[in-house]
Amino acid sequence: MDDFDKILLTGVVTVLGGFFIHSASQLFLKLFIEPIQRYRQHKSEAVTLLSFYSNMLSARLTEDDNQEYQERYYKAQDEIRMCMASIKAAYYSISPRWLAILLRVIPNQAEFKKVTSNLLSLSFLGQLLTEQDRMSKNMDLARSTVAILGAEW
């Protein structure tokens, strides 16, 4: 091999190596980093919604509630349910999920199922509570959900 062939081979290998590294980094970015960022955004949205609607978590609609309160009540239910669906979609879009769990970036499968179950239960606000439950049941559920998500109440 003469010097020109070596220079040409070095150039080709460098370009192919750069293309491979760029492709691998873009794949890692699109399949791992960006879904984790979306998950974190939805996680913070869940904490925000639970904090914002904390005064309604044990509320029930009554016949004498005005139209504005009813609309806010239904909006709270819809927003919490939509947040649960969004956080679930973001969680399952992370690939490889085992790596994110190993790095403790996201909760494990059992804890995450508990979060989504808690958010769904909380989206009913006070409708599922019995007279014995009072306020503490949903507030405790909200506290445990926020703790699993990595925040404080």
Side-chain angles (χ1 to χ4, degrees), residues 14-132:
T14 302
V15 169
L16 289 177
F19 177 74
F20 175 74
I21 289 173
H22 176 72
S23 298
S25 67
Q26 287 299 308
L27 190 64
F28 183 72
L29 183 71
K30 297 294 183 192
L31 294 178
F32 191 71
I33 301 297
E34 288 179 6
I36 286 175
Q37 289 174 337
R38 274 194 307 277
Y39 171 78
R40 286 182 174 172
Q41 288 172 342
H42 293 300
K43 181 176 83 167
S44 66
E45 180 185 352
V47 172
T48 301
L49 286 174
L50 291 178
S51 298
F52 184 73
Y53 291 119
S54 63
N55 63 331
M56 298 181 82
L57 291 178
S58 299
R60 290 186 184 176
L61 284 180
T62 59
E63 293 177 13
D64 58 340
D65 289 332
N66 63 21
Q67 184 70 23
E68 183 182 326
Y69 182 78
Q70 289 178 0
E71 287 175 9
R72 185 168 185 251
Y73 188 87
Y74 292 130
K75 181 181 176 191
Q77 289 181 325
D78 292 343
E79 285 184 356
I80 293 172
R81 282 190 193 113
M82 186 56 121
C83 180
M84 185 270 304
S86 298
I87 199 170
K88 193 172 191 177
Y91 182 85
Y92 287 111
S93 70
I94 298 170
S95 179
R97 197 173 318 115
W98 63 268
L99 180 61
I101 292 170
L102 183 69
L103 295 173
R104 297 183 187 269
V105 176
I106 60 174
N108 63 35
Q109 192 83 18
E111 288 178 337
F112 183 73
K113 284 183 180 181
K114 188 174 182 181
V115 166
T116 55
S117 174
N118 289 356
L119 284 172
L120 185 60
S121 296
L122 289 168
S123 72
F124 289 101
L125 301 177
Q127 292 177 346
L128 300 179
L129 297 178
T130 63
E131 290 301 320
Q132 292 83 17

Side-chain angles (χ1 to χ4, degrees), residues 50 57 118 122 135-153:
L50 291 178
L57 291 178
N118 289 356
L122 289 168
M135 280 184 63
S136 64
K137 184 176 181 183
N138 274 0
M139 291 304 284
D140 291 342
L141 201 59
R143 278 189 193 96
S144 70
T145 303
V146 168
I148 292 171
L149 290 173
E152 291 183 22
W153 188 259

